[in-house]
Amino acid sequence: MPQGLTLARLRQDRILNEAAETADPLRLMRLFGIKEKTAMHYVTVAHPERTTKLPR
């Protein structure tokens, strides 16, 4: 494995990629076994233009 590349980092990248494709927090929760807050974080990072008006 290249230096600086970890399994955790690969997983984060995969979740972010999925969030960019679907913008569906429920799908992220089911696919990756993450909690609602974490799923929403990834969707917000992937699509800031869609979530700027959502309550936090």
Side-chain angles (χ1 to χ4, degrees):
M1 199 176 292
Q3 190 172 9
L5 192 59
T6 65
L7 292 177
R9 187 74 176 140
L10 285 172
R11 183 172 190 267
Q12 291 171 348
D13 188 57
R14 179 65 183 99
I15 296 170
L16 185 57
N17 184 306
E18 190 68 31
E21 289 293 319
T22 66
D24 182 358
L26 186 56
R27 177 172 169 81
L28 297 177
M29 292 167 62
R30 289 179 176 162
L31 190 59
F32 297 102
I34 58 179
K35 296 185 185 254
E36 179 183 351
K37 185 175 181 178
T38 304
M40 284 305 300
H41 170 75
Y42 279 102
V43 170
T44 301
V45 169
H47 299 281
E49 72 285 354
R50 294 183 186 178
T51 56
T52 54
K53 297 179 182 178
L54 290 177
R56 301 206 189 252

